[in-house]
Structure formats: C-alpha cells, structure tokens
Amino acid sequence: GAVVSQHPSRVICKSGTSVKIECRSLDFQATTMFWYRQFPKQSLMLMATSNEGSKATYEQGVEKDKFLINHASLTLSTLTVTSAHPEDSSFYICSAREGVQGGGTGQPQHFGDGTRLSIL
Amino acid sequence: GENVEQHPSTLSVQEGDSAVIKCTYSDSASNYFPWYKQELGKGPQLIIDIRSNVGEKKDQRIAVTLNKTAKHFSLHITETQPEDSAVYFCAINTGFQKLVFGTGTRLLVSP
C-alpha cells in the first residue's frame, strides 16, 4: 500500500519551455502533498506544501510564479516549471502524506520516484 | 530553524556486519522520526519510523532507537546485504507538519 506515482520520470527540453509534473497517490487519499528538489549527492530540499483545494505554501526563496502548484483532487498534485532555464535542471520529487489535512502529527510521507528535468 | 545532523556521511561495511547511522536534532517539539532509503535515480522509500512515545522499534533486520532527552536517534541494520547499499536519510517532523531531512549517509555493503 501507500504508493505514489510520479510522471514523467525524465524530461529533456529547450530553454523557455514549461514543464508539468504529476504526482498521484494511487491507493490512499492525500490532502497534503509536498514538492522537493534534490541536487546531486545532496539532501532533499522542500519547495512547497500542496493542500487540496487551497493555495500552496512555498518555502522561503522559492518563486511561486516560477513553480506553479495545483492540487485539485485528493489524489493528484501537479508542479509546473514555467519558462524553464538550465538552472532549473534538477531532480524533482513529490511526496504524499497519509491522513487528514492539518491533523495528526507524524503521519508518514510516501515519495514518488522523482522526475529528472534537464533544460538545454 | 530546525536542524538535523547525520553521521557518518559514508559508511562501508562487509556483508554480514552491522551498520549504525546516527542523527541529532535541535527541535524539542519534534515527535516523529522516519528513516528513508534512496537508491540511485529513485525517490526515497520509507523503511521505518518511530514516534516520541516509543524508545525503540524493530522490523526484521532494521531497528531504530530514540533518545528524546539527548535529542538523537539511530538506525541499526544487522546482517547487512549488498542490496542494503543506498543512501539513507533520517528526518524529523516540524510544528508545521513538514519533514526536515538529514544530510544523508551513503552505505556501501561489500560482498
């Protein structure tokens, strides 16, 4: 159980393109999903928290107009990297948390397999 | 802000040996402590977690111990196998229900 599917797994595109990444919880409802960025040989850096039916909360230093997040259903969140540039190249990973929004401390987060984004 | 220190950064063991990874944290309000295993090119996989009302938890070859007073928790892997080779991350939860991750430990198990 607790499977999170992330698509696509890899994207290579030209500078200036917008890229959409999908994150789905397959066998549980996730009112809260998270988007992370990971540079090579480094830890996960939280970009934003995505809550179903409301605006995402972005971490300090993350441009909300650059990284658009939509969480329209209990099983789907999307991250759109707008007008991507080479410096946006990275490994983007989503996670989905079990349990109700804002409730229950210590609910497990389950991760997708990531999207490797390469901007030429 | 919250901080999690993880040691060692790399760990090499022989197959069959035990491996121990330790994390220390500063936020006394943290009450959930998961461990993740990340294989190359994949997302992190939750392997075990512990809550602050428990001092130790075990699942087959994997165990986690928590010392809330000293603010540290450790991952113990016994009878290591080559397939245990991966990067391991500890994490703590924050008051905003987010996870803060450690810096990771690259574990290499040699046959």
Side-chain angles (χ1 to χ4, degrees):
Chain A
V3 177
V4 175
S5 175
Q6 186 174 341
H7 289 284
S9 59
R10 174 136 200 175
V11 180
I12 302 173
C13 57
K14 294 181 179 180
S15 185
T17 306
S18 292
V19 178
K20 179 186 279 189
I21 303 169
E22 290 189 350
C23 181
R24 295 180 184 271
S25 56
L26 297 186
D27 50 2
F28 66 101
Q29 292 185 334
T31 54
T32 303
M33 292 185 174
F34 302 87
W35 288 95
Y36 296 82
R37 186 171 179 174
Q38 187 177 34
F39 292 103
K41 297 188 178 181
Q42 292 192 22
S43 189
L44 287 80
M45 181 180 72
L46 181 65
M47 298 174 64
T49 302
S50 169
N51 292 306
E52 186 267 335
S54 62
K55 290 184 179 180
T57 304
Y58 291 83
E59 295 300 299
Q60 191 173 7
V62 178
E63 299 175 60
K64 62 180 181 181
D65 295 330
K66 174 77 170 176
F67 299 99
L68 300 179
I69 292 172
N70 183 276
H71 193 156
S73 79
L74 288 172
T75 58
L76 173 64
S77 176
T78 61
L79 168 69
T80 300
V81 183
T82 62
S83 188
H85 293 285
E87 58 266 29
D88 299 322
S89 298
S90 191
F91 192 51
Y92 293 88
I93 315 173
C94 73
S95 73
R97 190 179 70 196
E98 297 181 47
V100 298
Q101 183 179 138
T105 59
Q107 295 304 310
Q109 281 189 35
H110 301 283
F111 286 81
D113 267 343
T115 297
R116 183 155 306 282
L117 177 61
S118 300
I119 308 298
L120 305 178
Chain B
E2 300 84 4
N3 186 45
V4 183
E5 293 189 5
Q6 183 172 344
H7 296 282
S9 57
T10 59
L11 179 58
S12 294
V13 300
Q14 290 291 122
E15 182 177 1
D17 288 350
S18 295
V20 181
I21 304 170
K22 183 177 178 178
C23 287
T24 58
Y25 61 98
S26 56
D27 187 358
S28 57
S30 296
N31 59 8
Y32 175 65
F33 309 90
W35 284 91
Y36 288 88
K37 174 184 180 182
Q38 186 177 27
E39 297 178 337
L40 191 63
K42 300 251 182 189
Q45 176 190 8
L46 178 67
I47 56 172
I48 196 166
D49 56 12
I50 192 168
R51 289 173 173 78
S52 58
N53 58 346
V54 177
E56 183 175 356
K57 184 177 178 181
K58 189 174 181 180
D59 182 4
Q60 299 183 344
R61 298 186 297 110
I62 295 174
V64 54
T65 58
L66 170 65
N67 185 325
K68 213 162 187 297
T69 303
K71 296 181 188 171
H72 64 74
F73 58 112
S74 299
L75 177 70
H76 306 254
I77 305 175
T78 58
E79 300 173 36
T80 54
Q81 301 167 2
E83 49 266 38
D84 294 330
S85 297
V87 179
Y88 291 81
F89 291 98
C90 64
I92 63 172
N93 69 329
T94 73
F96 299 100
Q97 303 307 314
K98 297 182 287 190
L99 290 180
V100 176
F101 284 84
T103 48
T105 296
R106 188 170 301 274
L107 174 65
L108 176 62
V109 181
S110 302

